[in-house]
């Protein structure tokens, strides 16, 4: 039996999800471990370039400073939002989240840009999707920006 797209997606909803306070709440040890694993898998274990890139990233993450109304503060947790490569590091870090969501099969469509997620899914799958996102790591906490709008296809 052939169904129209409208019938197939009649129970679909649109949801936007925000990962709450992502940059300041990132666990630096987790960030560095994921980045190191990804760099070594790309360059291989024996290359000096991988070791150099990992050392530079460690220095960058561990020596972050920010200023607010003149005083200079050392960031001991999280990741500064003003770091030029911050978006790149966060996208690499959360690539595992994207893979988990994709493998779950819960979403008809899912895309994430840094800490903002957009998805189309069946209403019955929404709570399970939030559980998957929140279980990626202790520092990841998502909140719903908008949910329940029907997708009129």
């Amino acid at each position: 039996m052939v169904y129209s797209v409208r019938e197939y997606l009649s129970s679909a909803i649109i949801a936007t999800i925000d990962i709450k306070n992502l940059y300041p709440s990132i666990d630096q040890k987790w960030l560095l471990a994921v980045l190191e694993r990804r760099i070594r898998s790309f360059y291989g274990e024996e290359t000096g370039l991988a070791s150099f890139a990992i050392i530079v990233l460690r220095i960058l993450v561990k020596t972050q400073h920010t200023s607010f109304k003149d005083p200079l503060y050392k960031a001991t947790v999280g990741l500064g939002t003003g770091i030029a490569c911050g978006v790149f590091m966060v996208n690499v870090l959360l690539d595992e989240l994207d893979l988990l969501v994709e493998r779950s099969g819960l979403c008809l469509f899912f895309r994430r840009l840094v800490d903002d997620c957009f998805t189309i899914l069946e209403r019955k799958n929404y709570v399970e999707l939030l559980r998957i996102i929140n279980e990626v790591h202790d520092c990841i906490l998502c909140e719903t920006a908008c949910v329940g709008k029907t997708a009129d296809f």
Side-chain angles (χ1 to χ4, degrees):
M1 180 181 266
V2 177
Y3 294 97
S4 72
V5 171
R6 185 178 301 274
E7 290 174 85
Y8 178 72
L9 297 176
S10 63
S11 63
I13 60 169
I14 296 172
T16 56
I17 302 165
D18 180 60
I19 300 174
K20 192 174 179 181
N21 297 318
L22 177 62
Y23 283 91
S25 63
I26 288 175
D27 179 321
Q28 291 181 354
K29 287 181 182 179
W30 177 49
L31 173 67
L32 290 170
V34 170
L35 292 174
E36 181 172 347
R37 185 175 66 247
R38 295 295 297 271
I39 289 169
R40 292 203 185 281
S41 73
F42 183 79
Y43 287 108
E45 292 291 330
E46 301 302 319
T47 179
L49 186 57
S51 296
F52 176 73
I54 292 164
I55 290 168
V56 169
L57 284 171
R58 281 186 190 142
I59 292 169
L60 179 68
V61 170
K62 294 296 185 182
T63 62
Q64 300 174 78
H65 287 77
T66 187
S67 65
F68 179 71
K69 295 185 179 179
D70 289 333
L72 190 62
Y73 300 95
K74 184 176 188 319
T76 57
V77 295
L79 188 62
T81 55
I83 295 176
C85 59
V87 171
F88 174 76
M89 289 192 291
V90 169
N91 275 325
V92 171
L93 177 70
L94 293 181
D95 185 53
E96 293 176 358
L97 179 146
D98 298 342
L99 294 173
L100 285 171
V101 171
E102 183 180 312
R103 288 183 196 135
S104 75
L106 295 171
C107 301
L108 303 168
F109 178 85
F110 179 87
R111 289 296 179 268
R112 180 193 52 77
L113 179 61
V114 189
D115 61 348
D116 297 311
C117 308
F118 176 81
T119 185
I120 300 172
L121 71 167
E122 292 187 51
R123 183 178 295 278
K124 66 181 183 177
N125 294 337
Y126 184 70
V127 172
E128 180 65 11
L129 174 64
L130 293 180
R131 185 192 65 75
I132 288 171
I133 294 172
N134 283 325
E135 288 184 356
V136 169
H137 192 274
D138 292 342
C139 71
I140 301 296
L141 177 63
C142 67
E143 61 185 8
T144 302
C146 175
V147 69
K149 306 298 182 193
T150 59
D152 187 17
F153 292 97

